[in-house]
Amino acid sequence: MRLRHKPWADDYMKENDHVVVQKPFDFKGNWQANFKKEQPLHLEIGSGKGQFIAGMGKQHPEYNFIGLERVKSVIVGALKKVLDAETDNVRLINEDAADLRDLFGTSEIDHIYLNFSDPWPKTRHEKRRLTFSAFLEQYEDVLKDDGKLTLKTDNRGLFEYSLASFSQYGMIIEEVNLDLHAVEDPLNVPTEYEEKFAAKGQPIYRCKARFKS
Ligand code: SAH
């Protein structure tokens, strides 16, 4: 859906600036001030239409959540989901993950989620993959020493690439799951893409990793 078909998107986001943070760069290093309670901060990069971040917010009132999504016409869907979930521990940022270090201070985040990130299958687009080493450097900076990175995807190529990239970077891989839905996990909050691909019978891959401290 093209943005020009959603001229109300800016107004909708401004009206709900308690959820979509309007000057997110001002909060670098001080994100806890944006939340009601000071508690661990979890970040999803590429949150799409927000089913995961809204669901996690509801399931985990003991954490604060931020969904980062660069496409305006998509993040408004996430805004609606967060409002409908009536949870006060989720914020959204309409920016690009390339600016992560300008958005978050060192060791400010406890957990990063990458859910069904764009696979960028062509080798010449490797740098755009959210698990490319330059992104990992940023994640290492903004994550706490014992912080975690969780990746879910249906894309086998991206999964294989990411495992190799984590490993080459020297990260510790704590879980590799090649068929997340084979066993029912009541704690797993499915994303929109996850539901779509799982319904087609495609396996969902998950990896949990952390940086060496
Ligand atoms: N996580 C959602 C959406 C997956 S599609 C789900 O699982 O259903 C990938 C999303 O990541 C898209 O909405 C895309 O706009 C966003 N995205 C990709 N690269 C990004 C970046 N560099 N910064 C912020 N968002 C990004």
Side-chain angles (χ1 to χ4, degrees):
M1 216 178 304
R2 286 288 181 83
L3 187 57
R4 64 173 180 271
H5 295 141
K6 291 197 174 180
W8 47 270
D10 278 316
D11 289 342
Y12 185 48
M13 290 200 288
K14 273 188 205 133
E15 278 160 24
N16 292 290
D17 60 358
H18 60 297
V19 177
V20 185
V21 181
Q22 293 298 302
K23 289 185 172 172
F25 296 102
D26 290 355
F27 283 94
K28 176 180 173 172
N30 195 27
W31 275 100
Q32 293 294 345
N34 202 295
F35 290 92
K36 296 235 162 75
K37 283 188 234 161
E38 197 166 312
Q39 46 191 12
L41 183 57
H42 290 215
L43 169 71
E44 184 189 16
I45 299 177
S47 46
K49 292 183 184 158
Q51 179 167 302
F52 178 81
I53 206 79
M56 288 293 277
K58 195 122 193 157
Q59 188 181 93
H60 292 286
E62 75 279 19
Y63 300 144
N64 291 330
F65 291 93
I66 296 178
L68 180 65
E69 170 54 58
R70 68 177 173 195
V71 178
K72 205 185 282 184
S73 59
V74 171
I75 201 171
V76 290
L79 171 55
K80 183 164 189 322
K81 289 232 172 57
V82 172
L83 293 173
D84 288 349
E86 293 182 340
T87 179
D88 63 7
N89 58 338
V90 182
R91 302 289 179 268
L92 300 171
I93 302 177
N94 186 203
E95 296 292 343
D96 197 297
D99 297 327
L100 213 62
R101 279 197 189 96
D102 297 322
L103 286 166
F104 300 101
T106 307
S107 306
E108 194 167 16
I109 296 170
D110 294 84
H111 203 137
I112 291 177
Y113 302 91
L114 301 175
N115 291 324
F116 299 81
S117 307
D118 301 322
W120 295 109
K122 290 184 180 138
T123 308
R124 66 186 159 91
H125 290 148
E126 181 190 358
K127 289 182 179 170
R128 299 184 188 179
R129 297 175 196 153
L130 289 177
T131 50
F132 178 64
S133 56
F135 279 108
L136 300 184
E137 277 173 27
Q138 298 194 61
Y139 305 156
E140 186 176 22
D141 261 15
V142 301
L143 274 173
K144 293 205 167 66
D145 282 350
D146 60 351
K148 281 194 199 306
L149 180 69
T150 300
L151 168 84
K152 285 200 280 190
T153 182
D154 63 299
N155 189 287
R156 189 176 162 139
L158 180 70
F159 196 66
E160 288 174 357
Y161 170 82
S162 301
L163 290 175
S165 183
F166 296 161
S167 156
Q168 274 161 27
Y169 196 88
M171 292 174 75
I172 296 164
I173 293 171
E174 297 185 330
E175 181 205 80
V176 175
N177 189 325
L178 297 178
D179 192 357
L180 183 60
H181 290 214
V183 180
E184 201 180 322
D185 175 0
L187 290 179
N188 180 52
V189 175
T191 79
E192 277 94 353
Y193 274 55
E194 183 170 349
E195 282 187 344
K196 200 172 81 184
F197 291 118
K200 287 186 193 163
Q202 285 176 232
I204 304 299
Y205 307 107
R206 185 175 71 188
C207 170
K208 292 187 183 178
R210 66 180 167 84
F211 293 93
K212 279 189 185 136
S213 44

